[in-house]
Amino acid sequence: MKASAIANANIALVKYWGKRNKTLKLPYNSSISMTTEGLMTHTTIEFSKEYKEDLFILNGKTFKKGSKEYDDGVGRFLNVVRKKAGIRLRAKIMSYNNFPTAAGLASSAAGFAALALAVNQALCLNLNKKELSILARRGSGSASRSIFGGFVEWKKGKRRDGLDSYAHQIVPADYWQDFRMIICITSSREKKVSSRTGMERTVRTSPMYKAWLKTIDQDIKRIKKGIKDRNFTLVGETAQENCLKMHALTMTSKPSIFYWNSTTIDLINRIIEWKNQGIECYFTIDAGPQVKIICLEKDIKKIIKRCRYIKGVEKVIVTRPGRGARITNKHLF
Ligand code: PMV
Protein backbone atom coordinates (compact mmCIF):
# COMPACT_ATOMS: atom_id res chain seq x y z
CA MET A 1 0.00 0.00 0.00
CA LYS A 2 2.93 2.26 -0.71
CA ALA A 3 3.78 3.90 -4.02
CA SER A 4 5.68 6.83 -5.51
CA ALA A 5 5.10 8.97 -8.57
CA ILE A 6 6.55 11.97 -10.33
CA ALA A 7 4.55 14.57 -12.24
CA ASN A 8 5.59 17.73 -14.01
CA ALA A 9 4.02 21.15 -13.65
CA ASN A 10 2.16 22.56 -16.62
CA ILE A 11 1.78 26.09 -17.89
CA ALA A 12 -1.48 27.14 -19.49
CA LEU A 13 -1.59 28.74 -22.92
CA VAL A 14 -5.36 29.13 -22.61
CA LYS A 15 -6.09 29.65 -18.93
CA TYR A 16 -8.60 27.89 -16.71
CA TRP A 17 -10.26 30.67 -14.75
CA GLY A 18 -13.56 30.20 -12.91
CA LYS A 19 -15.38 27.18 -11.49
CA ARG A 20 -18.95 26.15 -12.20
CA ASN A 21 -18.73 23.62 -9.35
CA LYS A 22 -16.30 24.32 -6.51
CA THR A 23 -16.40 20.90 -4.86
CA LEU A 24 -15.90 18.92 -8.06
CA LYS A 25 -13.60 21.62 -9.48
CA LEU A 26 -15.52 21.90 -12.73
CA PRO A 27 -14.47 24.82 -14.92
CA TYR A 28 -16.57 27.29 -16.87
CA ASN A 29 -14.08 27.08 -19.72
CA SER A 30 -11.80 24.57 -21.43
CA SER A 31 -8.05 25.19 -21.27
CA ILE A 32 -4.78 24.21 -22.96
CA SER A 33 -1.33 23.79 -21.45
CA MET A 34 2.20 22.61 -22.02
CA THR A 35 3.55 20.08 -19.55
CA THR A 36 7.00 21.30 -18.49
CA GLU A 37 10.10 19.12 -18.47
CA GLY A 38 12.20 19.49 -15.32
CA LEU A 39 9.69 21.22 -13.01
CA MET A 40 8.40 18.37 -10.98
CA THR A 41 6.86 16.98 -7.83
CA HIS A 42 8.02 13.65 -6.45
CA THR A 43 5.52 12.06 -4.07
CA THR A 44 5.39 8.95 -1.92
CA ILE A 45 2.20 7.78 -0.26
CA GLU A 46 1.59 4.94 2.15
CA PHE A 47 -1.73 3.83 3.61
CA SER A 48 -1.40 1.90 6.86
CA LYS A 49 -3.22 0.92 10.04
CA GLU A 50 -0.13 2.24 11.83
CA TYR A 51 -1.12 5.83 11.01
CA LYS A 52 -3.62 7.27 13.46
CA GLU A 53 -4.03 10.43 11.36
CA ASP A 54 -3.00 11.62 7.91
CA LEU A 55 0.42 13.18 7.71
CA PHE A 56 1.45 15.43 4.85
CA ILE A 57 5.06 16.54 4.54
CA LEU A 58 5.81 19.03 1.76
CA ASN A 59 9.42 20.10 1.18
CA GLY A 60 10.27 18.99 4.73
CA LYS A 61 7.41 20.88 6.41
CA THR A 62 4.66 18.87 8.14
CA PHE A 63 0.98 19.76 7.71
CA LYS A 64 -1.69 18.10 9.84
CA LYS A 65 -5.45 18.27 10.20
CA GLY A 66 -6.38 21.84 11.13
CA SER A 67 -3.84 23.49 8.83
CA LYS A 68 -5.15 25.26 5.74
CA GLU A 69 -2.76 23.35 3.46
CA TYR A 70 -4.03 20.00 4.71
CA ASP A 71 -7.74 20.74 5.16
CA ASP A 72 -8.33 22.53 1.83
CA GLY A 73 -6.02 20.38 -0.24
CA VAL A 74 -4.56 16.98 0.56
CA GLY A 75 -7.05 16.18 3.37
CA ARG A 76 -10.05 16.77 1.16
CA PHE A 77 -8.44 14.81 -1.65
CA LEU A 78 -7.70 11.82 0.60
CA ASN A 79 -11.32 11.76 1.71
CA VAL A 80 -12.41 11.59 -1.94
CA VAL A 81 -9.97 8.71 -2.47
CA ARG A 82 -11.06 6.81 0.67
CA LYS A 83 -14.69 7.09 -0.36
CA LYS A 84 -13.90 5.85 -3.87
CA ALA A 85 -11.80 2.92 -2.60
CA GLY A 86 -14.13 2.10 0.31
CA ILE A 87 -11.37 2.25 2.91
CA ARG A 88 -10.82 4.17 6.13
CA LEU A 89 -7.05 3.85 6.39
CA ARG A 90 -4.99 6.96 7.12
CA ALA A 91 -1.98 7.85 5.01
CA LYS A 92 1.45 9.39 5.15
CA ILE A 93 2.42 11.52 2.16
CA MET A 94 5.80 12.99 1.52
CA SER A 95 6.29 15.37 -1.41
CA TYR A 96 9.14 17.35 -2.79
CA ASN A 97 8.87 20.15 -5.36
CA ASN A 98 12.00 21.23 -7.20
CA PHE A 99 10.52 24.71 -7.88
CA PRO A 100 8.88 27.49 -5.79
CA THR A 101 5.57 26.41 -4.25
CA ALA A 102 2.35 28.47 -4.63
CA ALA A 103 3.95 31.36 -6.48
CA GLY A 104 2.08 30.95 -9.75
CA LEU A 105 4.08 27.99 -10.98
CA ALA A 106 1.28 25.44 -10.86
CA SER A 107 2.84 23.50 -8.00
CA SER A 108 -0.60 22.14 -7.14
CA ALA A 109 -0.93 20.75 -10.67
CA ALA A 110 2.24 18.67 -10.42
CA GLY A 111 1.42 17.80 -6.80
CA PHE A 112 -2.06 16.41 -7.33
CA ALA A 113 -1.18 14.67 -10.60
CA ALA A 114 1.65 12.83 -8.81
CA LEU A 115 -0.60 12.09 -5.84
CA ALA A 116 -3.43 10.73 -8.01
CA LEU A 117 -1.05 8.39 -9.80
CA ALA A 118 0.62 7.24 -6.57
CA VAL A 119 -2.76 6.61 -4.92
CA ASN A 120 -3.90 4.61 -7.95
CA GLN A 121 -0.85 2.37 -7.62
CA ALA A 122 -0.87 2.10 -3.81
CA LEU A 123 -4.54 1.10 -3.68
CA CYS A 124 -4.59 -0.90 -6.96
CA LEU A 125 -7.49 1.20 -8.27
CA ASN A 126 -6.67 0.38 -11.91
CA LEU A 127 -7.76 3.78 -13.18
CA ASN A 128 -7.07 4.61 -16.81
CA LYS A 129 -5.60 7.99 -17.85
CA LYS A 130 -8.98 9.60 -18.31
CA GLU A 131 -10.07 8.48 -14.83
CA LEU A 132 -6.72 9.59 -13.38
CA SER A 133 -7.24 13.01 -14.94
CA ILE A 134 -10.69 13.22 -13.31
CA LEU A 135 -9.25 12.16 -9.96
CA ALA A 136 -6.34 14.63 -10.15
CA ARG A 137 -8.88 17.35 -11.02
CA ARG A 138 -10.51 16.83 -7.62
CA GLY A 139 -7.27 17.98 -5.99
CA SER A 140 -6.65 20.94 -8.26
CA GLY A 141 -8.26 21.72 -11.60
CA SER A 142 -5.02 22.24 -13.48
CA ALA A 143 -3.70 18.88 -12.17
CA SER A 144 -6.07 17.14 -14.61
CA ARG A 145 -3.67 18.30 -17.37
CA SER A 146 -0.38 17.19 -15.75
CA ILE A 147 -1.33 13.52 -16.10
CA PHE A 148 -0.38 13.91 -19.77
CA GLY A 149 2.84 15.02 -21.42
CA GLY A 150 3.36 17.42 -24.33
CA PHE A 151 0.50 19.78 -25.17
CA VAL A 152 -2.76 19.04 -23.40
CA GLU A 153 -6.38 20.15 -23.54
CA TRP A 154 -8.75 19.97 -20.57
CA LYS A 155 -12.31 19.88 -21.90
CA LYS A 156 -14.69 21.66 -19.58
CA GLY A 157 -17.47 19.11 -19.99
CA LYS A 158 -21.19 19.70 -19.51
CA ARG A 159 -22.25 17.07 -17.01
CA ARG A 160 -23.03 18.01 -13.44
CA ASP A 161 -21.13 14.98 -12.09
CA GLY A 162 -17.96 16.04 -13.95
CA LEU A 163 -17.43 12.70 -15.67
CA ASP A 164 -16.87 14.44 -19.00
CA SER A 165 -14.46 17.04 -17.61
CA TYR A 166 -10.97 15.65 -18.13
CA ALA A 167 -7.80 16.24 -20.10
CA HIS A 168 -6.34 14.58 -23.19
CA GLN A 169 -3.09 14.94 -25.07
CA ILE A 170 -3.10 17.11 -28.21
CA VAL A 171 0.44 16.13 -29.29
CA PRO A 172 3.27 14.39 -27.38
CA ALA A 173 6.36 16.13 -25.98
CA ASP A 174 8.62 15.38 -28.94
CA TYR A 175 6.17 16.73 -31.53
CA TRP A 176 7.50 20.28 -31.25
CA GLN A 177 11.23 19.91 -30.57
CA ASP A 178 12.27 23.57 -30.54
CA PHE A 179 9.39 25.02 -28.49
CA ARG A 180 10.63 26.58 -25.23
CA MET A 181 9.46 28.51 -22.21
CA ILE A 182 11.76 30.64 -20.09
CA ILE A 183 10.40 31.07 -16.60
CA CYS A 184 11.53 34.29 -14.95
CA ILE A 185 11.09 34.12 -11.19
CA THR A 186 10.47 37.65 -9.94
CA SER A 187 9.51 36.63 -6.40
CA SER A 188 9.67 33.25 -4.65
CA ARG A 189 7.28 34.36 -1.93
CA GLU A 190 3.85 32.72 -1.77
CA LYS A 191 1.22 34.67 -3.63
CA LYS A 192 -1.19 36.87 -1.69
CA VAL A 193 -4.42 35.72 -3.32
CA SER A 194 -4.84 32.03 -4.12
CA SER A 195 -6.16 31.03 -7.53
CA ARG A 196 -9.25 29.64 -5.77
CA THR A 197 -10.08 32.99 -4.13
CA GLY A 198 -9.14 34.83 -7.31
CA MET A 199 -11.44 32.72 -9.47
CA GLU A 200 -14.37 32.97 -7.06
CA ARG A 201 -14.08 36.73 -6.80
CA THR A 202 -13.74 37.16 -10.55
CA VAL A 203 -16.78 35.08 -11.41
CA ARG A 204 -18.81 36.95 -8.80
CA THR A 205 -17.70 40.51 -9.44
CA SER A 206 -15.84 41.12 -12.71
CA PRO A 207 -18.08 42.76 -15.33
CA MET A 208 -15.76 41.19 -17.94
CA TYR A 209 -16.38 37.55 -17.04
CA LYS A 210 -19.12 36.90 -19.61
CA ALA A 211 -16.97 38.46 -22.34
CA TRP A 212 -14.05 36.19 -21.34
CA LEU A 213 -16.19 33.09 -21.78
CA LYS A 214 -17.35 34.29 -25.20
CA THR A 215 -13.77 34.41 -26.50
CA ILE A 216 -12.54 31.03 -25.22
CA ASP A 217 -13.73 28.73 -28.01
CA GLN A 218 -11.89 30.89 -30.54
CA ASP A 219 -8.67 30.85 -28.45
CA ILE A 220 -8.83 27.07 -28.02
CA LYS A 221 -9.35 26.56 -31.74
CA ARG A 222 -6.46 28.84 -32.68
CA ILE A 223 -3.99 27.37 -30.18
CA LYS A 224 -4.87 23.81 -31.16
CA LYS A 225 -4.37 24.60 -34.82
CA GLY A 226 -1.16 26.47 -34.00
CA ILE A 227 0.21 23.49 -32.07
CA LYS A 228 -0.71 20.96 -34.74
CA ASP A 229 0.82 23.13 -37.50
CA ARG A 230 3.77 24.17 -35.31
CA ASN A 231 2.74 27.74 -36.10
CA PHE A 232 4.71 29.62 -33.45
CA THR A 233 3.24 33.05 -34.20
CA LEU A 234 -0.32 31.79 -33.88
CA VAL A 235 0.37 29.99 -30.58
CA GLY A 236 2.38 32.87 -29.09
CA GLU A 237 -0.01 35.65 -30.06
CA THR A 238 -3.08 33.75 -28.88
CA ALA A 239 -1.49 32.69 -25.58
CA GLN A 240 -0.37 36.24 -24.81
CA GLU A 241 -3.81 37.69 -25.58
CA ASN A 242 -5.47 35.02 -23.46
CA CYS A 243 -3.17 35.76 -20.53
CA LEU A 244 -3.93 39.48 -20.73
CA LYS A 245 -7.66 38.75 -20.77
CA MET A 246 -7.33 36.61 -17.63
CA HIS A 247 -5.45 39.35 -15.81
CA ALA A 248 -7.99 41.94 -17.00
CA LEU A 249 -10.55 39.79 -15.17
CA THR A 250 -8.65 39.80 -11.89
CA MET A 251 -7.91 43.53 -12.10
CA THR A 252 -11.58 44.33 -12.70
CA SER A 253 -12.79 42.19 -9.78
CA LYS A 254 -13.94 43.87 -6.58
CA PRO A 255 -11.72 44.28 -4.64
CA SER A 256 -9.25 44.05 -7.51
CA ILE A 257 -6.42 41.58 -7.60
CA PHE A 258 -3.00 42.39 -9.06
CA TYR A 259 -0.81 39.32 -9.36
CA TRP A 260 2.01 41.36 -10.94
CA ASN A 261 4.91 43.19 -9.34
CA SER A 262 7.04 45.92 -10.93
CA THR A 263 9.48 43.38 -12.44
CA THR A 264 6.54 41.55 -14.05
CA ILE A 265 5.49 44.78 -15.77
CA ASP A 266 9.06 45.60 -16.75
CA LEU A 267 9.40 42.16 -18.35
CA ILE A 268 6.14 42.55 -20.26
CA ASN A 269 7.38 45.80 -21.80
CA ARG A 270 10.78 44.33 -22.65
CA ILE A 271 9.32 41.22 -24.28
CA ILE A 272 7.15 43.41 -26.53
CA GLU A 273 10.25 45.48 -27.34
CA TRP A 274 12.38 42.39 -28.14
CA LYS A 275 9.68 41.10 -30.43
CA ASN A 276 9.62 44.42 -32.27
CA GLN A 277 13.39 44.14 -32.64
CA GLY A 278 12.99 40.76 -34.36
CA ILE A 279 13.37 38.21 -31.55
CA GLU A 280 10.04 36.46 -31.74
CA CYS A 281 8.85 35.89 -28.18
CA TYR A 282 5.64 36.22 -26.18
CA PHE A 283 4.68 36.11 -22.52
CA THR A 284 2.19 34.30 -20.35
CA ILE A 285 1.58 34.82 -16.63
CA ASP A 286 -0.48 32.79 -14.16
CA ALA A 287 -1.85 33.67 -10.73
CA GLY A 288 1.45 35.07 -9.53
CA PRO A 289 4.23 37.46 -10.55
CA GLN A 290 6.42 35.05 -12.57
CA VAL A 291 6.70 35.68 -16.30
CA LYS A 292 6.95 32.77 -18.70
CA ILE A 293 8.53 33.73 -22.01
CA ILE A 294 7.36 31.63 -24.92
CA CYS A 295 10.10 31.33 -27.53
CA LEU A 296 12.01 29.03 -29.86
CA GLU A 297 15.26 27.24 -29.09
CA LYS A 298 17.30 29.37 -31.50
CA ASP A 299 16.64 32.54 -29.44
CA ILE A 300 17.15 31.08 -25.94
CA LYS A 301 20.67 32.41 -25.36
CA LYS A 302 19.87 35.94 -26.53
CA ILE A 303 16.73 36.13 -24.37
CA ILE A 304 18.35 34.72 -21.22
CA LYS A 305 21.21 37.18 -21.51
CA ARG A 306 18.74 40.05 -21.70
CA CYS A 307 16.67 38.70 -18.77
CA ARG A 308 19.72 38.63 -16.53
CA TYR A 309 20.12 42.41 -16.90
CA ILE A 310 16.63 43.11 -15.63
CA LYS A 311 16.45 44.23 -12.02
CA GLY A 312 14.26 41.94 -9.92
CA VAL A 313 14.65 38.77 -11.98
CA GLU A 314 15.77 36.33 -9.26
CA LYS A 315 16.08 33.20 -11.31
CA VAL A 316 15.65 31.98 -14.87
CA ILE A 317 14.51 28.43 -15.66
CA VAL A 318 14.33 27.06 -19.20
CA THR A 319 11.73 24.40 -19.91
CA ARG A 320 10.35 22.54 -22.92
CA PRO A 321 7.44 20.20 -23.59
CA GLY A 322 7.79 17.41 -21.04
CA ARG A 323 6.63 14.00 -19.92
CA GLY A 324 3.34 13.07 -18.31
CA ALA A 325 2.98 11.69 -14.78
CA ARG A 326 4.80 8.42 -14.11
CA ILE A 327 5.40 5.83 -11.40
CA THR A 328 8.85 5.58 -9.83
CA ASN A 329 10.27 2.98 -7.49
CA LYS A 330 12.25 5.64 -5.62
CA HIS A 331 10.39 6.09 -2.33
CA LEU A 332 10.94 9.24 -0.26
CA PHE A 333 10.53 7.33 3.05
O1 PMV B 1 -5.88 24.54 -10.63
P1 PMV B 1 -5.39 25.75 -9.92
O2 PMV B 1 -6.22 26.08 -8.73
O3 PMV B 1 -3.94 25.69 -9.60
O4 PMV B 1 -5.58 27.03 -10.90
C1 PMV B 1 -4.79 27.27 -12.02
C2 PMV B 1 -5.02 28.64 -12.53
C3 PMV B 1 -4.03 29.14 -13.57
O5 PMV B 1 -2.76 28.61 -13.36
C4 PMV B 1 -3.93 30.67 -13.48
C5 PMV B 1 -4.50 28.84 -15.00
C6 PMV B 1 -4.30 27.45 -15.50
O6 PMV B 1 -5.05 27.04 -16.37
O7 PMV B 1 -3.36 26.75 -15.05
Side-chain angles (χ1 to χ4, degrees):
M1 295 205 130
K2 183 173 182 176
S4 296
I6 293 174
N8 294 354
N10 69 73
I11 292 167
L13 298 168
V14 176
K15 311 291 184 193
Y16 145 53
W17 201 254
K19 295 180 182 73
R20 65 183 160 94
N21 182 318
K22 288 174 201 147
T23 313
L24 296 178
K25 300 205 168 60
L26 298 175
Y28 273 116
N29 67 276
S30 299
S31 53
I32 291 182
S33 59
M34 182 194 93
T35 303
T36 60
E37 193 55 42
L39 277 77
M40 58 187 197
T41 302
H42 183 169
T43 290
T44 300
I45 186 164
E46 182 177 42
F47 290 89
S48 166
K49 275 192 233 136
E50 304 287 308
Y51 302 129
K52 296 291 167 257
E53 57 175 15
D54 293 328
L55 202 61
F56 172 46
I57 306 156
L58 175 61
N59 293 337
K61 212 169 143 192
T62 302
F63 299 100
K64 286 188 187 166
K65 214 170 169 171
S67 70
K68 212 177 131 293
E69 285 80 359
Y70 172 84
D71 292 348
D72 294 350
V74 168
R76 216 177 271 192
F77 184 78
L78 284 176
N79 289 337
V80 170
V81 166
R82 278 190 278 259
K83 203 169 160 200
K84 199 175 173 67
I87 59 164
R88 297 181 68 175
L89 292 172
R90 305 287 124 177
K92 176 175 172 180
I93 299 171
M94 197 179 271
S95 288
Y96 174 75
N97 287 341
N98 72 348
F99 55 90
T101 302
L105 270 191
S107 54
S108 64
F112 282 107
L115 190 54
L117 194 63
V119 156
N120 183 44
Q121 176 91 353
L123 298 176
C124 303
L125 298 178
N126 288 320
L127 302 179
N128 61 29
K129 284 209 169 171
K130 169 182 147 182
E131 292 162 330
L132 279 169
S133 175
I134 291 176
L135 180 61
R137 193 200 73 218
R138 295 295 302 270
S140 153
S142 54
S144 63
R145 299 186 307 238
S146 272
I147 295 294
F148 300 91
F151 292 87
V152 181
E153 178 184 22
W154 170 20
K155 291 215 188 233
K156 64 178 195 277
K158 288 197 181 103
R159 291 173 61 133
R160 289 174 76 167
D161 60 10
L163 292 180
D164 58 351
S165 183
Y166 52 86
H168 71 101
Q169 185 177 69
I170 301 170
V171 296
D174 60 1
Y175 184 83
W176 199 342
Q177 302 267 347
D178 60 344
F179 193 96
R180 294 288 181 280
M181 277 197 204
I182 303 174
I183 301 170
C184 297
I185 308 280
T186 65
S187 165
S188 339
R189 263 176 286 153
E190 297 216 355
K191 60 195 172 204
K192 288 187 220 107
V193 184
S194 68
S195 47
R196 177 167 21 117
T197 307
M199 285 184 202
E200 266 175 35
R201 195 183 297 170
T202 301
V203 172
R204 211 168 9 95
T205 63
S206 172
M208 313 286 191
Y209 197 69
K210 279 211 177 92
W212 155 262
L213 290 181
K214 273 196 195 144
T215 68
I216 293 294
D217 284 351
Q218 171 86 344
D219 288 358
I220 294 268
K221 226 163 126 188
R222 285 164 63 103
I223 294 256
K224 262 166 103 170
K225 183 170 172 17
I227 291 169
K228 285 185 183 149
D229 297 347
R230 297 187 193 88
N231 179 340
F232 183 64
T233 306
L234 185 58
V235 171
E237 277 177 358
T238 314
Q240 184 168 303
E241 276 167 27
N242 184 270
C243 151
L244 288 172
K245 281 187 281 187
M246 183 202 114
H247 286 274
L249 294 178
T250 71
M251 289 176 196
T252 51
S253 297
K254 285 189 192 73
S256 58
I257 306 162
F258 290 90
Y259 283 114
W260 303 348
N261 60 31
S262 53
T263 311
T264 316
I265 297 170
D266 197 6
L267 273 162
I268 290 175
N269 285 314
R270 304 283 182 124
I271 292 163
I272 293 169
E273 223 173 83
W274 300 338
K275 177 160 182 280
N276 291 338
Q277 290 165 3
I279 304 174
E280 191 174 7
C281 56
Y282 303 90
F283 59 84
T284 188
I285 306 159
D286 291 297
Q290 329 307 358
V291 177
K292 290 96 180 187
I293 306 175
I294 303 168
C295 62
L296 293 170
E297 207 260 335
K298 66 178 172 64
D299 295 320
I300 282 280
K301 277 200 187 129
K302 266 184 270 174
I303 296 172
I304 291 181
K305 203 167 151 205
R306 286 167 189 236
C307 288
R308 293 209 201 280
Y309 284 113
I310 297 171
K311 200 171 137 256
V313 175
E314 293 176 6
K315 203 176 169 196
V316 172
I317 306 167
V318 180
T319 180
R320 56 191 291 166
R323 283 168 287 173
R326 56 232 179 249
I327 290 292
T328 168
N329 49 23
K330 279 197 197 127
H331 296 313
L332 294 173
F333 62 89

